[in-house]
Amino acid sequence: MDSFRKIDIDAFDEDVLLETELYDADPRDPAQVLDDAKAKAAAVRSSLSKGDIPGALTAVLDGAPYGPNVDEAKTLALQTLVTILNSTKSSDVSNIVKSLSQDQQDTLMKYIYKGMAMPGWGDVSGSVLLGWHEKLTEAAGIGCIVRTMTDRRIV
Amino acid sequence: MSAPEVHALGTTPITSHAFNGDRSQVAVSLNSNDVTIYSRQGKEWNVTDTLSEHDKLITSIDWAPNSNRIVTSSQDRNAYVWQETQDPQTGKMVWKPTLVLLRVNRAATFVRWSPNEDKFAVATGARAIAICSYDEENNWWVSRHLKKPIRSTVLSIDWHPNNVLLAAGSADMKARVFSAYIKDVDSRPPPSVWGERLPFNTVCGEYSSPSGGWVHAVGFSPTGDVLAFASHDSTVSIVYPSGPVIYTIKLNSLPYVTLTWTAEDSLVAAGHDCQPIVFSGSAGGWQLVGTLDDTSTSKSNGGTRGFGVAGSQVGRLNSAAFHTFRQADSRGSSSPTSAAGSGATDTELLTVHQNTITSIRPFSGSAEKVDQVSTTGVDGRLAIWDVNNVAELTGKMGALRLH
C-alpha cells in the first residue's frame, strides 16, 4: 500500500469526531472496574453453587465494564458470563431471559454476540450461545439486536 | 374500523411527500432528481406536474399550506423555492423555481417551512442547519447557519409552533433544540419551557439517544412543550425539558425513522418496521399503544385493496394470474405466488407498506387533534390512516414474519 494511504487523516481535521465523544464514559476508575468484575466473578460462583442462575446473571449484567482501558475486566466479565450460560439447563433459558430487565437483556445480547465473535475462546460454545440467542430474541425482539449493533458502549 | 386508503404511486421508493393545504395535490420525489405532483381526480391520483431543476437526488419536500409554496432540498447541496405563477405567454399556471444559496458543501438532507411560512430550515450533511429567510430588498433567500455544537449530518428537523425554536436530530446521536430567531422576521418569542432569552443559535436542550443510534426523527408536541425523537437503536424518547424528564421506550421491532404528533398526549412513529405505531402518555409516563395497521389479517390477494388504478379498472381481471403478472411487473418477483398469499416463496408482508416507511405526516384535523396521517415508503405506496383506528400489536416481531 502506498504510504499516503496510511496517513491518519483525522489528525488533520480540527472537527474530528472522536469515539469517546459518542457515548458517556464509565464514571468508575479502570482499577475499580476490575475490582468490581473480580468481586462479581466470586459472587457468581457462589450463586451458581446454590443454583441461582437469575441472581448470577443479574449480578454480571448490571454495571458491565465498557469503554477503553478495561480489557482485563471485560475478559473476566465475559468469562463469568459464559460460565453462567453454559451451566444453565436449556429448558430454563426462556423463563430466565423473560425475567431480566430491558437493559439487562440488551447487555446479555451484547455478550452473546461478543462470544459468537470469538469461537473457540475459553469455554465459548456456539450451540449454547445460539440457544440463548434464540430465546432472547423471542423475548426482547429484534430491537434488542439493533441496540447491540448501535451501542458504542461495547462490553 | 375503516381500512387505510392506499395508493400505489410508483414502484420506486418515495423519499419524501408533502400535501398542499387542501390536500387535493401531493408532491412526491420518486427517488429521482424530479418532484412529481399528483392531483386527486376522484379516487385516483394523476400526475399533473413535474418540477425539474435539481441535478441530484431530492431528499425532502415541504409544501407551505397557506402561501402555497414548495421548498425542496437535494443532494446537489441546493434548495429551491417553487411558486405557482402565471406564464405570460400561455396564461397557464406554472411552478417557477428560485434557487436558494445554502452555502454548504454537503448534501441538503431535510427541509421544513416554519409555521408562519416566512422562513424555512434546511438540514445538511455539512454539520449545519441553514435557516433561510426572504430578503425583500435584494429579492432573494438568505441563509444563516446553525453550527455549534452539531458534530455530524443533521437528519431531521421540526419547528416549534412559536416560529423560533427548532429541533434537530443528527447522526452524532443527539437530538437538540436550537433557537432560529431572525431579527428581521421574528418578533421576540414569549418565554417558554425551553428558555426566555433566545438569540440565534442558543442551544436550549441536548439529548442523547439512549443506546447510541442516529436520531432519525424529531417532533415537537402541538403546544411545543414536549419533544419526541426516534433513533436507530430502536427507541422512542419523549423529553419534558423542565426537569428534564426523559421517557425512553425500547422497542422490540426495527428502528423508526419518522414520527408525528397527533395530539398533546399521542404520537405516531413508523420506519423499518413497515407499520405506523401509536404511542400515548403524559408527563407521568409513556407507552406503546398499538398499530394503525391491523396485521392480523393477510392483505395479500392482494395489495390491491384500495389501489387507485389497478383496483378500479381491472375488475374481473383481478385474478390470481393477473396478480402474478402484476407482482412480476411491480416488484420483479418471477416466482408465482399462490392466490392466498402463503407458501415458502412468498415474501409479502402482512402490513400495508411492503417496505420501510420513510415519511409520516399529519393529513387531516387540526394540529392539536390530528384525525388522519399519511405515510409513504420505499415500496412506492402512499397510505392515509385514521389515527383513532388503533389495533393491538400482534406478535413481538412487528412486521417480520418467522417461518
Side-chain angles (χ1 to χ4, degrees):
Chain A
M1 213 182 341
D2 295 334
S3 60
F4 78 89
R5 288 186 183 276
K6 294 180 184 166
I7 294 173
D8 176 15
I9 54 161
D10 284 345
F12 298 91
D13 186 356
E14 286 174 13
D15 291 333
V16 66
L17 186 58
L18 299 170
E19 179 75 26
T20 50
E21 294 175 65
L22 294 176
Y23 59 88
D24 297 325
D26 195 330
R28 294 172 295 179
D29 185 66
Q32 199 200 335
V33 172
L34 183 58
D35 289 346
D36 286 356
K38 281 178 180 161
K40 271 183 201 161
V44 164
R45 269 195 296 278
S46 75
S47 293
L48 282 183
S49 62
K50 284 182 267 172
D52 179 14
I53 303 275
L57 210 50
T58 311
V60 75
L61 291 178
D62 283 334
Y66 67 86
N69 308 324
V70 289
D71 289 346
E72 203 179 331
K74 283 184 182 178
T75 312
L76 186 59
L78 178 63
Q79 182 66 57
T80 313
L81 190 96
V82 167
T83 315
I84 301 171
L85 300 191
N86 286 343
S87 49
T88 308
K89 275 199 295 237
S90 57
S91 54
D92 297 340
V93 171
S94 187
N95 286 326
I96 293 171
V97 293
K98 276 180 199 150
S99 71
L100 297 174
S101 74
Q102 283 193 311
D103 286 337
Q104 289 166 345
Q105 286 174 339
D106 288 357
T107 313
L108 177 59
M109 189 61 95
K110 288 187 203 171
Y111 278 113
I112 290 173
Y113 273 89
K114 184 173 187 180
M116 288 198 277
M118 304 166 81
W121 180 86
D123 302 329
V124 169
S125 148
S127 65
V128 170
L129 289 182
L130 283 171
W132 277 84
H133 184 270
E134 181 193 354
K135 296 288 183 266
L136 183 54
T137 311
E138 273 172 23
I142 36 185
C144 183
I145 301 174
V146 172
R147 284 187 283 278
T148 299
M149 292 194 287
T150 58
D151 205 335
R152 303 294 176 119
R153 291 170 296 181
I154 295 162
V155 294
Chain B
M1 297 285 278
S2 58
E5 202 182 310
V6 186
H7 307 278
L9 297 183
T11 53
T12 44
I14 298 177
T15 35
S16 178
H17 80 282
F19 281 92
N20 67 346
D22 65 7
R23 307 295 190 241
S24 61
Q25 290 179 299
V26 61
V28 300
S29 158
L30 295 166
N31 210 27
S32 73
N33 304 351
D34 298 331
V35 174
T36 314
I37 296 180
Y38 291 82
S39 298
R40 190 192 271 276
Q41 275 146 9
K43 279 187 164 178
E44 297 167 20
W45 290 94
N46 294 324
V47 179
T48 47
D49 249 317
T50 303
L51 315 185
S52 321
E53 202 67 40
H54 285 291
D55 54 19
K56 283 207 168 57
L57 195 74
I58 287 171
T59 51
S60 184
I61 306 170
D62 200 25
W63 199 326
N66 301 318
S67 58
N68 199 36
R69 287 177 299 190
I70 298 174
V71 61
T72 55
S73 68
S74 155
Q75 290 177 358
D76 64 10
R77 314 187 305 265
N78 290 325
Y80 281 97
V81 174
W82 304 78
Q83 191 142 24
E84 207 170 22
T85 48
Q86 203 167 29
D87 190 317
Q89 268 128 45
T90 59
K92 274 168 65 181
M93 293 301 272
V94 288
W95 287 97
K96 199 170 147 287
T98 310
L99 176 67
V100 182
L101 287 174
L102 298 176
R103 299 182 293 118
V104 293
N105 55 4
R106 295 286 187 279
T109 52
F110 203 88
V111 65
R112 283 292 178 267
W113 284 104
S114 72
N116 295 353
E117 302 175 12
D118 49 7
K119 54 184 182 178
F120 58 88
V122 187
T124 72
R127 302 168 170 185
I129 303 165
I131 310 293
C132 306
S133 58
Y134 191 66
D135 179 0
E136 298 275 359
E137 228 166 81
N138 295 307
N139 187 26
W140 66 22
W141 290 88
V142 288
S143 73
R144 297 186 65 189
H145 289 175
L146 289 172
K147 275 201 148 130
K148 288 207 162 101
I150 303 168
R151 302 305 306 273
S152 187
T153 301
V154 182
L155 298 167
S156 62
I157 44 184
D158 191 45
W159 284 96
H160 188 280
N162 73 3
N163 207 52
V164 168
L165 292 170
L166 184 75
S170 142
D172 57 10
M173 304 165 193
K174 295 221 166 43
R176 299 184 179 89
V177 176
F178 292 101
S179 165
Y181 176 81
I182 295 197
K183 207 172 58 186
D184 303 333
V185 177
D186 295 305
S187 52
R188 182 184 285 265
S192 70
V193 289
W194 300 99
E196 288 184 16
R197 281 199 68 246
L198 300 165
F200 190 74
N201 210 156
T202 309
V203 181
C204 307
E206 187 174 71
Y207 311 98
S208 292
S209 66
S211 307
W214 292 9
V215 178
H216 284 296
V218 286
F220 278 113
S221 70
T223 59
D225 291 346
V226 193
L227 176 76
F229 63 92
S231 50
H232 200 77
D233 50 1
S234 281
T235 60
V236 173
S237 302
I238 294 99
V239 179
Y240 288 84
S242 48
V245 183
I246 303 174
Y247 295 106
T248 294
I249 303 167
K250 291 191 173 190
L251 306 162
N252 287 314
S253 63
L254 291 174
Y256 299 150
V257 296
T258 177
L259 66 82
T260 187
W261 288 76
T262 52
E264 194 58 28
D265 58 357
S266 86
L267 63 91
V268 185
H272 296 294
D273 195 32
C274 310
Q275 53 184 332
I277 303 287
V278 180
F279 297 86
S280 86
S282 61
W286 277 77
Q287 63 280 322
L288 191 154
V289 179
T291 172
L292 294 181
D293 198 340
D294 187 4
T295 54
S296 54
T297 52
S298 174
K299 289 171 182 88
S300 50
N301 194 21
T304 58
R305 199 180 43 143
F307 270 33
V309 181
S312 59
Q313 291 179 351
V314 290
R316 62 192 174 81
L317 276 176
N318 193 6
S319 60
F322 177 83
H323 183 59
T324 305
F325 280 115
R326 204 192 43 229
Q327 289 291 93
D329 174 43
S330 67
R331 300 181 48 210
S333 71
S334 52
S335 57
T337 50
S338 65
S342 62
T345 56
D346 184 33
T347 55
E348 183 146 325
L349 298 175
L350 296 173
T351 50
V352 167
H353 278 287
Q354 293 298 305
N355 208 327
T356 299
I357 297 172
T358 50
S359 173
I360 182 164
R361 311 195 71 169
F363 182 76
S364 68
S366 60
E368 293 76 31
K369 183 78 190 69
V370 174
D371 296 326
Q372 288 175 299
V373 292
S374 58
T375 56
T376 50
V378 178
D379 57 353
R381 291 181 188 182
L382 167 73
I384 297 164
W385 311 80
D386 183 350
V387 295
N388 299 314
N389 194 1
V390 184
E392 207 163 304
L393 202 58
T394 51
K396 290 210 151 188
M397 296 296 160
L400 184 76
R401 290 206 317 181
L402 292 181
H403 289 288

